[in-house]
């Protein structure tokens, strides 16, 4: 009985229904915006946390008869993906794309036969997928 009376009132008063529809749609839109902001913030915090947990070290660089050998150590708690290698001296900057994975607490030797180390002082930099760098100075 009460339901029937309520339905009749709503059929007669159209302005009340349109206000309710506007409020519900507004709440849905606000909820979608807020949830997207919260999810984006969580993802950024996760990436920052992973970046802080990365710690890669270039422990040795040596020229061998068939190229150059690089030794990478991962002291962090996450697997590191090395994506870029730079060899820099006073006159030349050499960039090489690499793809080396170093697990946590692991030391990995990486051999490249197409890289020759310059004579004199040089710097070797390696960049991870998350944007961290490691630097080695040699001569």
């Amino acid at each position: 009985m009460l339901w029937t009376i309520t339905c009749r009132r709503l059929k007669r008063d159209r302005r009340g229904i349109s206000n309710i529809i506007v409020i519900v749609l507004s709440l849905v839109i606000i909820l979608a915006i807020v949830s997207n902001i919260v999810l984006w913030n969580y993802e950024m915090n996760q990436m920052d946390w992973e970046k802080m947990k990365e710690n890669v070290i270039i422990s040795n660089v040596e020229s061998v008869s068939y190229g150059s050998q690089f030794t990478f150590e991962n002291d962090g708690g996450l697997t590191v993906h090395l994506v870029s290698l730079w060899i820099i001296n006073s006159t030349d900057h050499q960039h090489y794309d690499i793809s080396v994975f170093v697990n946590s607490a692991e030391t990995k030797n990486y051999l490249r036969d197409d890289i020759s180390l310059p004579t004199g002082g040089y710097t070797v930099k390696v960049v991870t997928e998350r944007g961290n760098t490691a630097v080695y100075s040699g001569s």
Side-chain angles (χ1 to χ4, degrees):
M1 178 85 167
L2 181 62
W3 177 253
T4 308
I5 295 171
T6 306
C7 286
R8 286 185 190 159
R9 281 189 195 163
L10 288 176
K11 286 181 183 178
R12 278 189 253 133
D13 189 13
R14 297 278 180 195
R15 290 181 298 171
I17 294 175
S18 64
N19 288 341
I20 292 172
I21 291 173
V22 168
I23 290 172
V24 169
L25 289 177
S26 299
L27 289 175
V28 168
I29 291 171
I30 290 171
L31 181 64
I33 291 171
V34 168
S35 63
N36 281 331
I37 291 171
V38 168
L39 288 174
W40 177 79
N41 190 25
Y42 173 74
E43 289 175 9
M44 290 297 112
N45 286 340
Q46 181 72 20
M47 288 173 53
D48 291 340
W49 179 83
E50 287 176 355
K51 188 173 180 176
M52 288 187 311
K53 293 295 181 182
E54 254 186 6
N55 186 22
V56 64
I57 300 167
I58 305 172
S59 59
N60 190 24
V61 175
E62 59 185 347
S63 184
V64 292
S65 61
Y66 43 84
S68 298
Q69 182 171 341
F70 306 90
T71 305
F72 304 116
E73 293 180 19
N74 182 3
D75 290 339
L78 299 173
T79 298
V80 175
H81 182 206
L82 306 175
V83 294
S84 185
L85 178 74
W86 291 84
I87 299 177
I88 303 165
N89 67 5
S90 61
T91 60
D92 193 21
H93 293 59
Q94 300 171 10
H95 173 255
Y96 301 93
D97 291 324
I98 63 174
S99 181
V100 177
F101 289 91
V102 185
N103 291 325
S104 178
E106 181 182 52
T107 300
K108 181 167 263 186
N109 291 324
Y110 179 65
L111 179 65
R112 287 285 294 254
D113 58 356
D114 62 335
I115 298 176
S116 60
L117 296 174
T119 57
Y122 61 89
T123 302
V124 176
K125 291 184 180 183
V126 68
V127 181
T128 69
E129 185 176 41
R130 294 181 181 103
N132 290 325
T133 61
V135 179
Y136 177 88
S137 294
S139 56

